[in-house]
């Protein structure tokens, strides 16, 4: 039983009283044993067991569910019930150094109104701290301290950077114990595992999607020149003796052009594969970029070279001439495929650096996409009726430039 002393303090007692009969009289004898300490220990053990069970249940839920918001919502409800908190929320960090709520639960009415600025401040403190952060929930002077409330924030890590913060708010003047904070850290560990697992799942889905796109694009890119080469060789095999010199020259040029396209595509695929495992060979030596760029121009077909102009000044540097040629060729291919009709190849040196530029007069690339186009299988342009390229040219070219201590 719980008893209240005259001074207002509370104790837990165990009543051992019994009725004793003596003749015709009855009396009660016994003792009230103070078991406050034992009751406190029992309560702590029960609380620890219930909290451990809650964490285990959340962990199982996080393993079984692929719905991260559902895991967040269940976490919010569980923490609120176990710690008897008025409000609990999970906030994810945004690119703008602010935090947005992501658990999908309604924020209940409470006696203490906490401003958005206060929540953002707590989230910022907690995200930057290795330990839980506890603050007064609202600003106010000491006369308002009895209704100030207490808030706690715990950072939630992620696969590469911190995901966000778990925040709990109590309407009273609660003091969060070490057991409370330990429980919150255990919950956050479950959330970290859920976030990392969700990141891995999404990356795997993106990888599978990019693989499908890659296979479709490579199939198309190789099928087109293979079809042309097969058709040309069939025509030559069956009737080259009856063809005029002009017809022969046109068919052979077409076969050479399409064979070169296949060779260049396969070369890019090999570089991309080797780059992932760090085995791309680069042979550094003195090189002038101008004659390398000119050699790329000389290899163009008359139709390709028709609208290409050269503005080549000496550009001496150190690099791999074969790899430089591959970069320039990829840039030209990109210009022919997506750019305007007129293309310039420019080389020179400025501020201690040598450069080659491939410039066309097309619409250009949207500023927001100027880094995206360097990612594998990405393109900044969609052309109706035309299957997209593999999307490796710029990726490979930038990797090669950086392997030669340059950039693209």
């Amino acid at each position: 039983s719980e008893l209240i002393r005259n001074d207002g303090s509370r104790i837990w007692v165990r009543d051992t009283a019994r009725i004793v009969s003596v003749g015709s009289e009855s009396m009660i004898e016994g003792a009230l044993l103070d078991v406050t300490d034992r009751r406190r220990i029992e309560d702590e053990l029960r609380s620890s067991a219930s909290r451990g069970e809650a964490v285990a249940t959340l962990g199982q839920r996080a393993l079984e569910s692929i719905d991260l918001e559902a895991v967040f919502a269940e976490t919010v409800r569980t923490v609120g019930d176990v710690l008897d908190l008025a409000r609990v929320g999970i906030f994810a960090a945004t690119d703008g150094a602010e935090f947005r709520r992501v658990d999908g639960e309604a924020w209940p009415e409470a006696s203490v109104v906490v401003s958005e600025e206060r929540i953002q401040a707590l989230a910022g403190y907690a995200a930057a701290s290795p330990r839980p952060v506890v603050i007064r929930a609202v600003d106010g002077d000491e006369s308002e301290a009895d209704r100030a409330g207490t808030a706690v924030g715990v950072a939630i890590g992620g696969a590469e950077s911190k995901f966000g913060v778990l925040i709990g708010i109590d309407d009273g003047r609660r003091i969060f114990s070490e057991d409370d904070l330990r429980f919150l850290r255990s919950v956050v560990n479950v959330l970290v595992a859920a976030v990392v697992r969700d990141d891995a799942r999404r990356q795997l889905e993106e990888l599978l999607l990019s693989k499908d796109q890659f296979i479709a694009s490579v199939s198309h890119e190789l099928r087109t020149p293979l079809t042309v080469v097969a058709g040309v060789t069939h025509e030559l095999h069956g009737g080259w003796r009856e063809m005029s010199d002009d017809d022969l020259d046109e068919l052979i040029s077409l076969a050479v052009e399409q064979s070169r396209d296949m060779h260049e595509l396969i070369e890019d695929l090999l570089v991309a594969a080797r780059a992932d495992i760090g085995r791309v060979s680069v042979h550094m030596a003195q090189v002038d970029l101008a004659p390398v760029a000119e050699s790329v121009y000389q290899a163009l077909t008359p139709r390709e070279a028709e609208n290409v102009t050269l503005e080549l000044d000496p550009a001496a540097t150190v690099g791999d001439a074969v790899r430089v040629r591959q970069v320039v060729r990829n840039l030209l291919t990109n210009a022919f495929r997506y750019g305007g009709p007129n293309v310039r190849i420019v080389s020179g040196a400025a501020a201690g650096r040598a450069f080659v530029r491939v410039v066309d007069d097309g619409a250009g690339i949207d500023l927001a996409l100027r880094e995206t186009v360097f990612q594998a299988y990405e393109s900044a342009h969609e052309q109706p009726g035309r299957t997209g390229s593999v999307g490796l040219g710029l990726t490979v070219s930038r990797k090669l430039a950086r392997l030669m201590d340059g950039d693209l």
Side-chain angles (χ1 to χ4, degrees), residues 364-398:
I365 300 172
D366 187 274
L367 191 61
L369 298 176
R370 290 189 185 178
E371 282 301 311
T372 304
V373 294
F374 289 104
Q375 298 174 13
Y377 321 126
E378 293 290 342
S379 173
H381 303 277
E382 295 293 336
Q383 295 181 326
R386 186 178 197 177
T387 302
S389 68
V390 177
L392 285 176
L394 293 181
T395 306
V396 166
S397 297
R398 174 177 270 189

Side-chain angles (χ1 to χ4, degrees), residues 11 36 113 142-143 145 156 277 279 313 318-319 329 347 351 368 382:
I11 63 171
T36 303
V113 178
E142 290 304 315
S143 64
I156 304 169
I277 54 177
R279 295 194 310 192
D313 291 328
V318 175
R329 183 257 301 161
S347 70
E382 295 293 336

